[in-house]
Structure formats: structure tokens, C-alpha cells
Amino acid sequence: RKEVEQDPGPFNVPEGATVAFNCTYSNSASQSFFWYRQDCRKEPKLLMSVYSSGNEDGRFTAQLNRASQYISLLIRDSKLSDSATYLCVVNSLRFGNEKLTFGTGTRLTIIP
Amino acid sequence: DGGITQSPKYLFRKEGQNVTLSCEQNLNHDAMYWYRQDPGQGLRLIYYSQIVNDFQKGDIAEGYSVSREKKESFPLTVTSAQKNPTAFYLCASSPITGGANVLTFGAGSRLTVL
């Protein structure tokens, strides 16, 4: 089982719709969780950290479910500019060292 | 503006040649990282450094070398020993904190070996 798994998509969603995707992780000792956004042929950029209580930033909501070991990202009222690949990132402590593990990403295309 | 600068953006080399990718940051971050990204795969860690004159191997260090002579600079050399060097290389940095490890990335260097 991969340490971090994402559905690669692509998710093709009409503009204005709500879309959600999940990311599962295998290490129950994982401590920190993030969503990064990566545009085509560009570098990843932090979208939001994921807190235990869940957090919201405008149209974006991130949730953490420790019992089932997944995080989710919800995008409301999707815009054309939301088209990108969304990377799930998990920070785990192994042998005293922190390790970041990246998912392969979920590709999202917003259709006019 | 603070940030990370990678150069060159595109690089073409013949098989068997060593190449060095530059990474400079002015964010005053202690930690720096090199990742490799291939289609259909997550970012994989090559090397990282938490302090000047010290660095550790990541998950796929074979065929690569790094140096950290200055806090701002963390160049990566792709040697001829790297079997499949064609990839998108990303440099990143983060402040050393006790908590979450948020990375800031450079724009990347796309290496193609002919």
C-alpha cells in the first residue's frame, strides 16, 4: 500500500459546481497534513494546511479524518482558475526524523 | 521579494555528462531540499540539508550529489551514474521549526538527457 494515495482523476467539473476529493495515508502516526496546488509545468504552492478541527479558506474547505486516515479538500463555486493538480502531502515522524510524503496528485479541470 | 531561484529553467545534456542545477534562496530558511518529479509519480526526495556544511540522503540519492557551503545555496549535481536523469527537478526550502514543515518551492529545472 502506498504511503499516500490520491485518485489521479482527471475530474472534469462544470464551472460553479462543488467538487471534493480525498487522500488516504497509511501511517497512523502522521502528524501534519497539507494540500498543495500545482499548475501545469509549474512548481507546487501551498494551498492550505489541514487541521484536526478542519479549516476553511474562502471557497476551500479541508478536513482530516484520523480514524479512517484520510484528508479531504472541498472546493465550492468552482472557477476556471481552479484548474490544476492538487497534491496531498503528509508529514510523518520516522526514527526521530520528520518526513514529507507527496501524493501523485489529483488533476482537476473546470469546464466553462 | 523573497523567494527561491532555480537555474537553468531548461537544460539539455548528452548522456554521460554531469550537470549542476543551481538553487538560491533569500528567505533566510535553514532547511533546503531537492525533489524530483516524474509523470504519474509523487515528488521524491533526493537530498536535504538542515544546516550549512551538512546534508542527508533522501529516498533516491543514488547518482546525485549536493553541497551546502552557504545558507542561501544548495546546488545539485546530476552525475553520469544516474540511470534515468530526465525529469523535472524542484528545489525547496523551509524554516526549521518544531511544527509543520511548510515548503516553498523554486520554479523548477527541466532536465532532458539526449
Side-chain angles (χ1 to χ4, degrees):
Chain A
R1 183 183 174 187
K2 286 185 180 179
E3 290 187 59
V4 176
E5 284 198 80
Q6 295 184 253
D7 183 338
F11 286 50
N12 298 317
V13 174
E15 191 176 7
T18 296
V19 59
F21 29 84
N22 291 343
C23 164
T24 60
Y25 60 94
S26 61
N27 185 351
S28 60
S30 297
Q31 301 176 306
S32 309
F33 308 88
F34 310 90
W35 285 104
Y36 280 73
R37 171 198 168 122
Q38 186 173 25
D39 293 300
C40 188
R41 302 179 76 83
K42 302 279 189 178
E43 75 274 23
K45 293 183 179 178
L46 179 69
L47 178 66
M48 57 199 306
S49 302
V50 186
Y51 304 123
S52 297
S53 55
N55 48 303
E56 188 174 311
D57 183 3
R59 298 182 293 107
F60 298 83
T61 300
Q63 298 276 358
L64 167 64
N65 185 317
R66 284 196 182 272
S68 301
Q69 293 184 205
Y70 72 87
I71 65 172
S72 64
L73 180 67
L74 178 82
I75 306 174
R76 288 181 297 278
D77 187 24
S78 53
K79 312 290 185 191
L80 296 177
S81 58
D82 295 333
S83 297
T85 296
Y86 291 85
L87 305 177
C88 167
V89 184
V90 176
N91 190 16
S92 305
L93 194 62
R94 280 194 179 170
F95 309 112
N97 294 316
E98 292 189 3
K99 180 186 176 184
L100 280 176
T101 303
F102 286 77
T104 55
T106 296
R107 187 173 168 190
L108 174 66
T109 300
I110 305 301
I111 303 166
Chain B
D1 288 337
I4 299 180
T5 302
Q6 288 187 241
S7 64
K9 191 169 183 179
Y10 299 97
L11 186 59
F12 298 87
R13 279 294 181 268
K14 290 184 179 179
E15 199 171 326
Q17 290 182 332
N18 290 0
V19 299
T20 297
L21 308 180
S22 169
C23 177
E24 303 278 333
Q25 55 101 357
N26 60 3
L27 298 167
N28 200 33
H29 285 172
D30 287 307
M32 296 188 74
Y33 313 80
W34 274 104
Y35 286 91
R36 169 182 173 142
Q37 188 175 34
D38 296 279
Q41 296 198 43
L43 273 68
R44 292 183 290 167
L45 182 64
I46 303 172
Y47 269 98
Y48 66 101
S49 168
Q50 295 181 320
I51 196 169
V52 173
N53 292 323
D54 188 43
F55 47 82
Q56 284 78 41
K57 293 182 178 180
D59 299 319
I60 55 165
E62 186 175 348
Y64 300 97
S65 65
V66 293
S67 63
R68 187 89 186 273
E69 296 177 2
K70 298 185 300 182
K71 184 176 182 177
E72 302 80 19
S73 178
F74 192 41
L76 173 74
T77 296
V78 185
T79 75
S80 56
Q82 168 50 233
K83 300 300 180 191
N84 186 18
T86 294
F88 187 42
Y89 290 89
L90 288 158
C91 179
S93 70
S94 69
I96 293 287
T97 67
N101 207 6
V102 175
L103 300 180
T104 301
F105 285 90
S109 292
R110 199 167 293 274
L111 172 63
T112 302
V113 175
L114 306 172

